[in-house]
Amino acid sequence: MPYLKLPAPALAELAAKRGYRKDIGGTAVWHYPAENPKGTLLFIHGFRGDHHGLSASAGALVDYDVLIPDLPGYGKTLELELHDLDSYGIWLRELVTELGPDLVILGHSFGSLVVSKAVSQGLEAKAIVLQNPITTRSNQQKDLANRLARGFYAMAISLGRAGSAFLRSWVVVRVMSVAMATSKSPKLRGWIHAQHHRHFSTYRSDRVAHEGFAAASSSSVLDFASSFKLPTLLIAGEKDLIAPLANQIKLQGMIPGSKLEVMKGVGHLTHYEAAAEVAIAIDKFLGEL
């Protein structure tokens, strides 16, 4: 079986047992190997997280080699001079040059912007997967999650050193986590909140967070859609407020031949709330290439 259909906490635990760290060109990368791999997947995580965020899907994809780097400025990878999309796109293309182009590259949330920017810069890959791709500009959205995020970052900048502690505080992380989670399961919600508290503030400096938020909130994958010539899978959450389904459908129409898989009853946290279903969608997509 190419995937395991288990709850995300169990999948993340399996991934932790299977994975190990290796450094590639200055980037800390976690490798989750398969005994007889059907292919190699490179996962690019979202804003404020690190490789742990996508480890559940890595744990589910037992027949694939999965590589998950910490983005520059997060986790164990050092900072860039500037954390804008141009710089992240260049970083990703350099990493792929080290790894070779026979990869399927997945970007989740902010990671979808990084991947899309790299595609517009000439990124070579076997195929692309965009999971909860950012198809709206956060600085123009009026929903609760986006308004809270803008308010938190604006306050943090105005408060200086105190704002740094505020942005990393238990309260801010919990509010963001509650705003994004849609699961009705107390056990799963508790695990999601614990994951965010453990891994959502691993950025290496306030500059990383502020520059990254500016890049994430002022950009959209729609800006880069015309650059996509590779086979592309879009994975959307039916209840996603940050990346609304209507815009995922619009994006699919802008990328010729792309496929769209919708995770029912799930919001922006498909990597936590539908990790196994995401793995199934990826395996199906790759089987049809």
Side-chain angles (χ1 to χ4, degrees):
M1 179 178 288
Y3 52 81
L4 295 175
K5 194 169 183 180
L6 295 171
L11 292 172
E13 185 175 343
L14 289 174
K17 293 178 180 178
R18 171 181 158 203
Y20 63 92
R21 174 185 169 181
K22 60 181 181 180
D23 292 341
I24 301 174
T27 296
V29 180
W30 273 258
H31 185 199
Y32 304 88
E35 290 187 9
N36 298 295
K38 295 170 60 176
T40 303
L41 311 176
L42 176 65
F43 287 1
I44 307 301
H45 67 77
F47 180 60
R48 278 193 67 160
D50 59 21
H51 69 280
H52 291 93
L54 296 176
S55 64
S57 290
L61 289 160
V62 292
D63 282 357
Y64 294 87
D65 278 345
V66 182
L67 301 168
I68 312 180
D70 284 345
L71 280 170
Y74 295 88
K76 303 299 183 182
T77 302
L78 297 179
E79 300 177 28
L80 300 171
E81 290 186 8
L82 180 63
H83 300 88
D84 61 1
L85 288 184
D86 281 331
S87 301
Y88 276 125
I90 292 168
W91 161 80
L92 178 55
R93 288 191 295 116
E94 290 177 347
L95 179 62
V96 170
T97 297
E98 294 280 345
L99 296 171
D102 192 27
L103 300 168
V104 176
I105 303 177
L106 177 148
H108 170 256
S109 190
F110 178 68
S112 73
L113 288 171
V114 174
V115 171
S116 297
K117 182 62 179 182
V119 167
S120 76
Q121 295 171 334
L123 177 70
E124 295 184 10
K126 184 177 180 180
I128 300 293
V129 180
L130 301 180
Q131 184 176 353
N132 301 99
I134 301 301
T135 49
T136 59
R137 289 179 176 81
S138 173
N139 58 10
Q140 298 174 352
Q141 302 307 302
K142 297 181 180 180
D143 61 89
L144 177 61
N146 279 297
R147 285 190 288 112
L148 284 172
R150 291 197 300 272
F152 285 147
Y153 284 92
M155 183 177 295
I157 291 173
S158 69
L159 291 175
R161 183 175 296 180
S164 176
F166 170 76
L167 202 57
R168 297 175 188 263
S169 70
W170 186 94
V171 173
V172 167
V173 173
R174 177 55 62 93
V175 170
M176 289 183 178
S177 188
V178 169
M180 289 188 290
T182 60
S183 174
K184 302 299 183 184
S185 166
K187 184 175 181 180
L188 180 56
R189 289 180 70 90
W191 181 78
I192 290 170
H193 298 331
Q195 290 293 296
H196 282 144
H197 283 296
R198 191 171 297 127
H199 306 301
F200 207 53
S201 297
T202 61
Y203 50 90
R204 302 178 70 88
S205 72
D206 293 343
R207 182 177 70 88
V208 173
H210 294 317
E211 291 176 355
F213 182 74
S217 60
S218 60
S219 304
S220 165
V221 173
L222 297 175
D223 299 336
F224 310 112
S226 62
S227 301
F228 279 76
K229 311 300 180 186
L230 299 168
T232 302
L233 170 66
L234 308 176
I235 298 175
E238 181 185 28
K239 297 182 177 181
D240 195 338
L241 298 178
I242 295 174
L245 179 57
N247 276 28
Q248 311 303 311
I249 295 170
K250 179 179 179 180
L251 178 62
Q252 183 192 15
M254 297 173 67
I255 302 178
S258 62
K259 299 181 181 298
L260 173 64
E261 291 283 348
V262 180
M263 303 292 113
K264 300 293 185 181
V266 179
H268 198 63
L269 305 182
T270 56
H271 56 311
Y272 288 148
E273 297 180 325
E277 290 77 8
V278 166
I280 292 170
I282 292 170
D283 181 66
K284 176 185 174 184
F285 169 66
L286 298 183
E288 294 173 349
L289 287 181

